[in-house]
Amino acid sequence: NSDVTAVNTELAANTASVRGGALYGLAGQFNFTHVTVRGNHANSSAGGIWTGHGSGSGTLTITNAILTANTDA
């Protein structure tokens, strides 16, 4: 498990071979405030942010953020 807090941050122009171009996180708490997530790419799914699925998923809280131009294959 991991907890991440990001404030006044930009996650941009990142690439992942599978999921979560900007962030790949499982079973943690992720808090983003005043964050821009843009121009990231994943070769499978979740071009911007991936926090898992099912019982292994994390919790994502986003406040006053911009998510734009993130792509996946």
Side-chain angles (χ1 to χ4, degrees):
N1 292 354
S2 60
D3 294 336
V4 175
T5 298
V7 180
N8 297 325
T9 303
E10 180 177 49
L11 304 171
N14 299 290
T15 301
S17 60
V18 181
R19 295 181 183 102
L23 172 72
Y24 182 101
L26 296 173
Q29 176 69 40
F30 305 92
N31 301 297
F32 289 175
T33 304
H34 301 290
V35 172
T36 299
V37 180
R38 68 170 175 84
N40 300 287
H41 179 78
N43 289 329
S44 177
S45 60
I49 300 170
W50 172 263
T51 59
H53 56 84
S55 63
S57 63
T59 302
L60 175 64
T61 303
I62 299 175
T63 306
N64 295 325
I66 298 169
L67 289 84
T68 186
N70 298 289
T71 59
D72 58 39

